[in-house]
Amino acid sequence: MQTTPALSGLACVDCGATHDPTTASRRCPDCGGILTASYDIEGIDLSRDSLAGERFDGLARYRDLLPLAPAAVPSAGEGATPLTSCPEFADELGVGAVYVKDEGANPTGTTVDRGAALAVGAARELGADAVALPTTGDAGQSVAAYAARAGLDSEAFVPTRSTFVAKAMTNVHGGEMNVVGGRYPDAVEAFESAMSERTGEDSTADRQWHSLAPFDQPYRHEGAKTLLLEVLEQLGWETPEAVIHPTGHGLGVVGSRLAAEQASALGLVDETPALHVAQPDACAPIVAADDRGADETDVWDRPDTLVGALEVPDPSGGALALDAVRETGGWAVGATDDDALEAAVALAGEGVEVSATGGVGAAAAQRLAAEGHFESDDTVVLVNPVAGNKENDVLRSHLMRKGV
């Protein structure tokens, strides 16, 4: 397996055991906990000056802080996405500056591409013939695209309410798709049943399948951390006061926490931004857990939001997302569907194409500002996880209801 020199192993967040990345392909072999990559930080020669002279864009720019060598990653040019100033929205919030980190500029129009590139690459390095995952939609397209680049088969288990674009493009990239009746938990159940048959001791599968479900292996959240590294560098290594992540499973905010810790340890920055989780009010298990001071999330009984990408009632990284929020001084905040759609439209009126999913983060920023959590000179970064044109039907329907 082509790993980077600084990778020292995969550490379990629950029991603390460290495992060899060439043998641990999923969760902790000892306790089933989530694995994260450990690095020999002292052995990494990474500085502002070295990055200033770096020739590579995208994920390879931060290869010293990633588990796979660039040659092992089936890159499609993911990363290096725009950070766009939104002065009108900053005035509305009463802060010094607002920027949108537009992840819709990634190859398949989603922030998932960052983690998919690494996760698919790792699966290939570990001998997989095929990869599979449950998804609300966008990750199926992303994984299908990267699996195609890596020469692997892929299958996505998606609920019927997943967007037509995500389902269609999964097939266009050559991925198999299992459309499951019901909502996301039904897709998860179908995925787990299929994977049990394919990877169990009595399996007769003719392909070696690897799971790319969120937090089922360490590589998707490792890829996700490059977002914050880019933001810090794009801001001239000035740390923003707040970074707001629209959140389903928690991959983005957990990745940003890893990035903040490592950037600080390397001396790239002196401060850590407050990391905020934003979820739709109609499916907000992390917000509910934060409100009651719990360390774990409970399953959301009746998820029913128009923002389907975030309709995840049982987030795999819920506990880690809560840690990221609390240890950085952030908040977990809910937003109504109408507020999220209106905020997305407001940013579009400023010329920035934000999805309904991104609108949840923008609406959460409005709520945080109204509750007095920002100062007048703060810099606030809104993560737009999905291209606006992937959710155009929801945005257009909102305008039609307003008579536009």
Side-chain angles (χ1 to χ4, degrees):
M1 187 172 182
Q2 300 179 73
T3 60
T4 48
L7 181 70
S8 58
L10 302 177
C12 176
V13 301
D14 290 334
C15 71
T18 300
H19 302 281
D20 184 344
T22 65
T23 58
S25 61
R26 292 188 67 179
R27 288 180 172 247
C28 176
D30 294 343
C31 73
I34 293 171
L35 295 176
T36 61
S38 295
Y39 300 91
D40 176 16
I41 294 293
E42 293 183 357
I44 296 176
D45 183 19
L46 188 66
S47 66
R48 298 183 186 184
D49 289 341
S50 66
L51 284 169
E54 178 57 64
R55 293 174 299 154
F56 298 94
D57 289 327
L59 269 60
R61 185 172 187 81
Y62 308 108
R63 59 191 178 276
D64 294 322
L65 285 173
L66 293 175
L68 292 187
V73 179
S75 176
E78 62 288 333
T81 57
L83 186 70
T84 305
S85 175
C86 300
E88 293 178 16
F89 203 74
D91 289 344
E92 179 186 337
L93 298 186
V95 298
V98 168
Y99 293 90
V100 170
K101 181 62 170 167
D102 188 9
E103 291 294 276
N106 279 303
T108 76
T110 170
T111 192
V112 178
D113 290 350
R114 295 176 183 272
L118 281 180
V120 169
R124 181 177 62 181
E125 290 287 295
L126 291 165
D129 303 303
V131 292
L133 76 163
T135 171
T136 56
D138 293 317
Q141 176 186 348
S142 179
V143 166
Y146 284 92
R149 288 188 70 80
L152 305 182
D153 294 329
S154 70
E155 183 172 7
F157 292 76
V158 302
T160 49
R161 72 192 307 262
S162 175
T163 66
F164 172 78
V165 171
K167 288 187 282 192
M169 291 306 297
T170 297
N171 287 151
V172 168
H173 286 300
E176 299 177 36
M177 186 168 52
N178 191 320
V179 180
V180 182
R183 294 180 181 269
Y184 179 66
D186 301 294
V188 173
E189 184 178 355
F191 160 78
E192 291 176 344
S193 176
M195 290 299 286
S196 179
E197 293 176 2
R198 295 169 184 175
T199 62
E201 292 182 1
D202 299 326
S203 172
T204 58
D206 58 356
R207 291 174 286 183
Q208 184 179 139
W209 288 86
H210 277 227
S211 167
L212 264 60
F215 293 102
D216 223 10
Q217 32 64 39
Y219 301 101
R220 285 184 62 181
H221 44 284
E222 280 295 302
K225 77 184 182 188
T226 58
L227 181 150
L228 185 63
L229 293 172
E230 286 180 10
V231 167
L232 295 173
E233 189 170 6
Q234 286 168 317
L235 292 176
W237 301 109
E238 292 292 329
T239 304
E241 278 69 31
V243 179
I244 302 176
H245 282 276
T247 299
H249 282 286
L251 287 163
V253 71
V254 170
S256 284
R257 180 192 173 194
L258 293 171
E261 291 175 346
Q262 291 164 8
S264 178
L266 286 167
L268 294 171
V269 293
D270 297 324
E271 299 176 331
T272 297
L275 301 177
H276 303 279
V277 157
Q279 295 191 297
D281 279 343
C283 187
I286 296 172
V287 176
D290 191 41
D291 287 347
R292 66 175 185 272
D295 294 329
E296 302 277 351
T297 56
D298 290 335
V299 179
W300 195 266
D301 287 336
R302 296 173 64 90
D304 188 21
T305 173
L306 293 172
V307 188
L310 300 182
E311 195 177 88
V312 178
D314 189 14
S316 300
L320 292 179
L322 287 166
D323 287 344
V325 166
R326 291 167 179 169
E327 293 189 10
T328 61
W331 297 83
V333 183
T336 68
D337 285 356
D338 281 346
D339 286 348
L341 295 171
E342 192 61 28
V345 169
L347 285 165
E350 197 170 345
V352 182
E353 186 179 291
V354 172
S355 61
T357 303
V360 173
Q366 291 171 326
R367 190 163 176 178
L368 287 165
E371 293 175 356
H373 295 298
F374 298 146
E375 301 292 336
S376 61
D377 58 348
D378 280 357
T379 295
V380 177
V381 175
L382 309 176
V383 177
N384 178 42
V386 184
N389 60 18
K390 295 188 73 171
E391 298 178 346
N392 56 6
D393 56 338
V394 180
L395 296 171
R396 180 59 182 153
S397 294
H398 175 69
L399 291 178
M400 292 175 67
R401 284 191 286 117
K402 294 176 63 179
V404 178

